[in-house]
Amino acid sequence: MTKRFNDQDWVNEMRIRLDVNNMFTDKVGEEQGLTREEVDKLQQRVSQAHKNMEEADLGFMKLPFEQAEVVKEIKELAGELAGKIENFVVLGIGGSALGNIALQTALNDPYYNYAEEMRDGYPRLFVPDNVDPVRFQSLLDLLDLEKTVFNVITKSGGTAETMSQFLITRQAVARELGEDKVADHFIATTSKDSGYLIEIARRERFKTFYIPEDVGGRFSVLTPVGLLSAAVCGIDIDELLAGAASMAERCRTEDLWQNPAYLNGVLQYLAYQKGKTLSVMMPYAHALKDVADWYRQLWAESLGKEVDREGNIVNVGPTPIKALGTTDQHSQAQLYMEGPFDKVITFLEVENYGVEVKIPKLYEDIEGVSYLGGHTLNELIQTEKNATELALTKRGRLNATITLPEVNEFTMGQLLYMLELQTALVGELFNINAFNQPGVELGKHYTYGVLGRKGYADKREEYFSRPEKDQNLII
Ligand code: PA5
């Protein structure tokens, strides 16, 4: 079957766009805005960063081009499962879950899990992404285990939340269906050569997919981590990767005025230097709501760092905030309009929603309601975005817009890749390691100590000898 991405006209039509007009002084005023000269001054550092990233041969940058074999394997498995199972459950957390959710929300029907006719024979997808006991038990109660496959995803192969979910579901499957059926209901997606999950998967003979060693969790949506659940739920992963590849090609230039990932990265970096330390992502499409959630992790874990590459204490990192238009116009917008000048807002907008919903002409005698009649929800949401953008700009609030001609696999591939590259670039500009997360280790180690994991006795002791809380401060 000829794929749409082989048609150059369609590819051009589906190119996502970045509009950065409202980041500059001529639109938001001298006091808050950035200047083109400030951007130009960073070209040399961007060129160096470009070289560094190429030389580092970053794993996520190769993904759109080097996965033909595993993609084939994923599609084969997805084909085998289609029509046979009712539920596909991802057991994972953070980078091993958020990309799956973002793809599902973006590319499948909003009520995909609720009605069979929305799913076209594909299974429901569940990604608990947490260990809340109520929600997890409720999921277990809901699932017909006979018709369920669990994909256990953990790059390290030992994350407490994921392994607990696995232990619970494995026991449930063995009890209900029998030990000999366990391997039919579990897939392991993990590192090939390290971690406990691979050891278990080999012992249990689980179907296994590997996460490339040089791709970190939050950059792994375009590996089997995100691709498998997408394919199993009917998403075209060839088109997704083709979209990412087209963005990667577009970003081969080091010229930051031509490279959307670099231009947006540089502007975010400059805004941060000017005190805009909060970075809001605000899609005006429910489909993109969880892209903002995925991006929040990508941005926070990659850029929030204590030390730079030379070991100097820097404590940097913009705080990502997710919002949703128009919902958060009635929740957050007041703060964005009149609160401190500490934010930069990135809108995500969609040109063609794929459906048009007309607002009927009713109550023609009531002017405050009747003006809506004859318009569409599409016009309403798009006008509200434009109106919010204009109002923010007039108030000197920095904002940019990424436009998706429509939400499909190809545009999603472009968007995800662009945001990953943008993050890596900003890491370079901050001179930090964007690919580690040392800050989350201490909390994990206390948990291990308390739960009795070997090797963490000191942390257990520290935990239990922590200072008493002043009861007067608990009211
Ligand atoms: O981006 C990351 O590396 C993290 O958010 C991880 O994805 C998360 O902690 C889960 O780790 P793992 O896949 O090893 O279970």
Side-chain angles (χ1 to χ4, degrees):
M1 194 179 67
T2 319
K3 295 277 190 175
R4 297 189 287 185
F5 54 81
N6 292 319
D7 174 352
Q8 197 50 49
D9 289 342
W10 185 82
V11 165
N12 292 341
E13 232 177 89
M14 289 300 134
R15 198 176 147 106
I16 70 172
R17 301 191 301 276
L18 170 69
D19 174 356
V20 296
N21 270 282
N22 301 334
M23 299 292 285
F24 291 101
T25 49
D26 51 340
K27 297 289 190 301
V28 287
E30 302 262 316
E31 208 176 318
Q32 303 300 330
L34 306 172
T35 64
R36 285 162 177 75
E37 294 68 43
E38 284 173 303
V39 175
D40 284 333
K41 273 195 200 143
L42 279 176
Q43 180 60 66
Q44 219 178 350
R45 286 182 62 198
V46 168
S47 296
Q48 185 58 46
H50 181 76
K51 199 162 157 248
N52 294 348
M53 290 192 288
E54 272 187 352
E55 280 172 9
D57 203 19
L58 296 173
F60 81 88
M61 294 174 73
K62 294 181 276 187
L63 296 174
F65 307 101
E66 294 185 359
Q67 292 193 99
E69 226 166 278
V70 72
V71 163
K72 188 165 165 269
E73 214 185 312
I74 287 173
K75 288 196 295 187
E76 274 164 14
L77 179 63
E80 280 166 34
L81 295 177
K84 286 209 192 99
I85 59 167
E86 242 170 40
N87 312 298
F88 193 75
V89 183
V90 167
L91 304 179
I93 197 159
S96 292
L98 294 170
N100 303 65
I101 301 172
L103 289 176
Q104 177 73 2
T105 309
L107 299 170
N108 273 330
D109 190 277
Y111 296 102
Y112 174 92
N113 268 8
Y114 296 84
E116 242 178 299
E117 59 274 21
M118 304 280 188
R119 294 202 300 276
D120 217 8
Y122 296 109
R124 297 186 290 190
L125 179 69
F126 297 97
V127 191
D129 185 34
N130 204 346
V131 285
D132 176 87
V134 175
R135 188 155 170 263
F136 201 73
Q137 183 59 53
S138 175
L139 175 61
L140 278 181
D141 294 344
L142 176 85
L143 298 173
D144 174 352
L145 293 179
E146 185 113 47
K147 293 181 185 153
T148 301
V149 167
F150 297 92
N151 184 16
V152 193
I153 309 181
T154 165
K155 177 159 188 215
S156 62
T159 299
E161 292 90 335
T162 305
M163 294 315 277
S164 302
Q165 292 177 340
F166 165 61
L167 295 172
I168 295 163
T169 49
R170 192 218 176 278
Q171 186 184 55
V173 169
R175 279 193 180 152
E176 204 170 307
L177 309 176
E179 266 300 326
D180 58 327
K181 290 282 184 275
V182 168
D184 298 341
H185 293 270
F186 286 91
I187 298 166
T189 303
T190 188
S191 297
K192 193 172 184 179
D193 300 311
S194 58
Y196 305 108
L197 182 61
I198 191 64
E199 195 182 322
I200 294 171
R202 290 193 177 129
R203 193 188 296 174
E204 301 262 27
R205 299 183 185 281
F206 291 168
K207 170 87 185 148
T208 305
F209 288 94
Y210 300 120
I211 307 172
E213 232 17 82
D214 55 358
V215 180
R218 56 193 174 274
F219 288 85
S220 70
V221 57
L222 298 176
T223 71
V225 168
L227 295 178
L228 181 58
S229 69
V232 166
C233 295
I235 290 168
D236 185 333
I237 58 173
D238 291 324
E239 203 167 273
L240 187 66
L241 289 168
S246 89
M247 180 55 75
E249 293 300 345
R250 210 172 144 188
C251 293
R252 291 231 187 269
T253 175
E254 64 190 67
D255 177 350
L256 66 81
W257 290 105
Q258 300 303 321
N259 182 321
Y262 290 178
L263 181 56
N264 210 26
V266 159
L267 293 171
Q268 291 280 329
Y269 173 76
L270 285 172
Y272 180 85
Q273 305 298 344
K274 283 204 157 181
K276 281 102 183 71
T277 57
L278 308 180
S279 173
V280 179
M281 179 173 274
M282 190 166 186
Y284 272 72
H286 180 90
L288 300 175
K289 169 179 155 283
D290 292 322
V291 169
D293 206 21
W294 168 84
Y295 178 67
R296 191 170 64 125
Q297 185 219 7
L298 180 71
W299 201 241
E301 254 186 14
S302 303
L303 302 179
K305 296 290 151 72
E306 181 176 36
V307 291
D308 68 10
R309 285 193 176 117
E310 279 74 50
N312 305 307
I313 302 284
V314 286
N315 296 115
V316 287
T319 300
I321 297 169
K322 56 175 181 168
L324 180 66
T326 65
T327 306
D328 284 313
Q329 282 178 211
H330 302 269
S331 156
Q332 299 286 295
Q334 168 64 29
L335 173 69
Y336 301 170
M337 296 282 175
E338 294 190 353
F341 286 88
D342 56 0
K343 294 171 204 67
V344 49
I345 290 128
T346 305
F347 294 111
L348 302 181
E349 71 172 11
V350 176
E351 271 172 347
N352 176 6
Y353 285 84
V355 291
E356 193 179 71
V357 178
K358 288 210 161 76
I359 306 172
K361 289 185 180 171
L362 296 173
Y363 306 109
E364 304 237 355
D365 58 322
I366 307 179
E367 197 278 323
V369 176
S370 66
Y371 76 99
L372 294 166
H375 293 288
T376 62
L377 290 186
N378 307 53
E379 270 181 280
L380 182 60
I381 195 168
Q382 281 163 335
T383 307
E384 292 212 37
K385 183 265 162 184
N386 292 336
T388 305
E389 177 189 359
L390 179 62
L392 282 168
T393 306
K394 279 194 172 290
R395 288 171 176 272
R397 313 288 163 152
L398 270 61
N399 65 87
T401 295
I402 300 173
T403 305
L404 279 71
E406 60 186 53
V407 180
N408 61 35
E409 287 89 339
F410 191 75
T411 55
M412 276 295 287
Q414 293 176 62
L415 180 65
L416 298 177
Y417 187 89
M418 175 190 154
L419 295 173
E420 288 180 346
L421 186 61
Q422 172 184 314
T423 306
L425 187 266
V426 177
E428 288 287 323
L429 295 176
F430 278 132
N431 188 30
I432 52 157
N433 180 348
F435 302 102
N436 64 4
Q437 53 283 329
V440 297
E441 293 308 312
L442 186 59
K444 278 191 201 169
H445 292 176
Y446 284 134
T447 306
Y448 294 155
V450 173
L451 297 185
R453 184 169 172 183
K454 220 169 144 191
Y456 296 90
D458 58 331
K459 288 291 168 254
R460 182 185 172 85
E461 210 179 295
E462 239 178 75
Y463 179 91
F464 284 111
S465 56
R466 66 193 189 277
E468 289 276 315
K469 284 195 174 167
D470 181 344
Q471 293 305 311
N472 294 318
L473 295 179
I474 304 174
I475 59 169

